[in-house]
Amino acid sequence: MRSITLRLGAAFLLLAVLCVGLMGYLTNLSVDRDFREYVERLVALYTQQAADDLGRLYVRDEGWEDVQGEVSDLAKLRVRRLVVADSSGVIVGDSGGLWLGESAEELGLHGGTPIMVSDQEMGAVYSLLPPGAGAGGDLEIPGFLGTDAAGEDFFADVADSVRVAVLVVTAAALVTGAVLVVQIARPIQSLIKGARHVAAGDLSYRTAVKTKSELGDLAESFNVMASSLERAEQSRRRLNADIAHELRTPVTIIEGTVDGILDGVFDADREHLASIKEQTALLTRLTHDLRDLSLAESGQLTLDLAPSDITDLLRRKLSQVEVRAREKDISLELNAPDGLPHVAIDSMRIEQVVANLVDNAIRHTSAGGTVRVSAEEAPGGAGGPDQQHSVVLSVSDTGKGIAAEHLPHIFDRFYRVDASRSKDEGGAGLGLAIVKQIVVAHGGRAWAESEPGTGSTFFVSLPVAVTPTA
Ligand code: ADP
């Protein structure tokens, strides 16, 4: 039985039948027991009244001589057979008229109700079924009620009521069960349908389950999952298209140049070979950048962390770009004090971060401008943008700046402010995405501020290395 509807339905049915059957059985049992107790209490009460009446008779007649004449009336009143024994156990009165003069003990009569006169036991009275009314079994009910039919009617009525109750409860349990089964099974079936759509590649499918139960939460999570899968799929497609686009330009240039040389259109001279080399270098950089990005985005970038002096690192890095800055007539300034707290970094990766930022700054600054690289300590603490004790690097330039609408996106991969970039306007839009991923992998933050027409400043915060206290 694979269907959850069938399983739940069968479970409900079984439960309903078990509960209702048990209820019927227990009701019968308790009616039987309570009724028996009630009859016994009534018989005991009536017998006690008969014993009191007989005591008064004993006093009036000064003995048991005339009791047989009275005992039938007493018995008739209570629809019982009364047997009276004197203090020595000899039967002196019997409304059935059968045992006069016999010994109660020999007849097997026990548990008689004592007849007390002035605190003395003058005999005992036994309450029995009237002769010929014995069909009530040990309960003595029909006898007590007067006829067999009355007792049977009583139990038949009780049984009927129990039967009706059992039927009504079974029907109610089945209807409730059916409603519940439908309420549980329908959302599950809808979720199964959704999972099949998603598995078949239809990531736009959403379930329409709207219940406030855990199944509703599950359906909502399913929809959230499908949305994020859809977003991931769209971004994967965009990424593939971007990569293909970026690879196509250098490959086309290389292919065209080589074809030209082979067809004798170009000479295989230094100029054309240099162009091919430049495009292959671009391809190499692109593949490295893509590998670093995908490693960082999947959290697999291995960092060789060591406490380092950031001022040293900046000094080293700037000396490498000094010539290029001078060539562009840009003045390069370093503003980083000695003795800054050490930061826990992978120096090679942070050098790459600084290189990307300084390279961008030089590229976007015109001759006569300034690129300033700074580092300062940020104590952190509540309220500030950086909660942790860190060192903040900044690279500012006097270039054309970045318009406010582009600023939130410049750290996205393949995002370029000027999509129709010229050759020296830079790369594929991966530089800042790599900066961000490396900095985040270090537990830091990267952000930018810019004033179009005045310049831009890029910031990177790096957490200060925790030195073990002695
Ligand atoms: P790319 O490698 O193409 O330069 P980046 O990720 O480094 O890509 O930069 C993304 C975009 O941000 C670039 O298209 C560029 O226009 C802009 N940008 C980056 N740095 C600066 C800067 N210092 N001044 C002005 N614009 C910048």
Side-chain angles (χ1 to χ4, degrees), residues 49-116:
Q49 281 175 356
D52 294 346
D53 287 350
L54 286 163
R56 276 190 288 280
L57 273 178
Y58 181 88
V59 173
R60 190 194 68 192
D61 300 341
E62 295 173 353
W64 288 125
E65 280 73 28
D66 299 326
V67 74
Q68 179 58 22
E70 308 274 354
V71 78
S72 295
D73 289 344
L74 284 179
K76 232 179 267 161
L77 221 58
R78 296 173 174 94
V79 211
R80 302 288 295 177
R81 174 184 173 190
L82 292 180
V83 174
V84 185
D86 65 10
S87 51
S88 61
V90 175
I91 292 176
V92 291
D94 175 6
S95 64
L98 299 172
W99 294 338
L100 274 178
E102 296 196 40
S103 155
E105 202 180 335
E106 282 169 17
L107 286 166
L109 293 176
H110 297 290
T113 305
I115 301 167
M116 306 299 289

Side-chain angles (χ1 to χ4, degrees), residues 39-253:
V39 167
E40 278 167 4
R41 272 206 307 278
L42 223 50
V43 167
L45 188 73
Y46 285 178
T47 314
Q48 185 58 54
Q49 281 175 356
D52 294 346
D53 287 350
L54 286 163
R56 276 190 288 280
L57 273 178
Y58 181 88
V59 173
R60 190 194 68 192
D61 300 341
E62 295 173 353
W64 288 125
E65 280 73 28
D66 299 326
V67 74
Q68 179 58 22
E70 308 274 354
V71 78
S72 295
D73 289 344
L74 284 179
K76 232 179 267 161
L77 221 58
R78 296 173 174 94
V79 211
R80 302 288 295 177
R81 174 184 173 190
L82 292 180
V83 174
V84 185
D86 65 10
S87 51
S88 61
V90 175
I91 292 176
V92 291
D94 175 6
S95 64
L98 299 172
W99 294 338
L100 274 178
E102 296 196 40
S103 155
E105 202 180 335
E106 282 169 17
L107 286 166
L109 293 176
H110 297 290
T113 305
I115 301 167
M116 306 299 289
V117 176
S118 313
D119 287 341
Q120 272 199 314
E121 191 174 333
M122 292 308 175
V125 58
Y126 302 89
S127 172
L128 307 174
L129 284 176
D138 59 352
L139 239 190
E140 301 183 359
I141 290 163
F144 170 74
L145 290 175
T147 66
D148 292 1
E152 274 165 22
D153 282 354
F154 174 80
F155 278 103
D157 283 352
V158 170
D160 279 351
S161 305
V162 169
R163 233 171 274 133
V164 169
V166 163
L167 283 178
V168 170
V169 173
T170 309
L174 287 180
V175 170
T176 321
V179 171
L180 270 177
V181 165
V182 169
Q183 276 184 352
I184 293 170
R186 200 171 286 157
I188 290 177
Q189 279 157 357
S190 170
L191 277 166
I192 292 171
K193 192 171 160 202
R196 288 202 178 121
H197 271 267
V198 170
D202 177 9
L203 300 179
S204 63
Y205 190 89
R206 303 287 180 271
T207 65
V209 176
K210 297 246 175 307
T211 101
K212 286 210 158 64
S213 66
E214 285 87 345
L215 284 169
D217 294 347
L218 181 64
E220 206 180 304
S221 306
F222 175 88
N223 286 345
V224 170
M225 180 197 74
S227 299
S228 67
L229 278 177
E230 194 179 19
R231 268 200 310 276
E233 177 61 12
Q234 280 165 357
S235 110
R236 190 185 65 81
R237 287 214 184 114
R238 247 197 332 267
L239 179 65
N240 283 350
D242 285 340
I243 292 173
H245 178 78
E246 289 307 319
L247 292 176
R248 201 178 308 129
T249 316
V251 168
T252 311
I253 294 175

Side-chain angles (χ1 to χ4, degrees), residues 360 363-364 397 402 410 415-417 427-432 456 458:
N360 276 353
R363 210 156 7 104
H364 292 282
D397 60 56
I402 304 164
I410 52 170
Y415 190 86
R416 281 192 309 254
V417 170
L430 292 177
L432 289 179
S456 319
F458 286 79

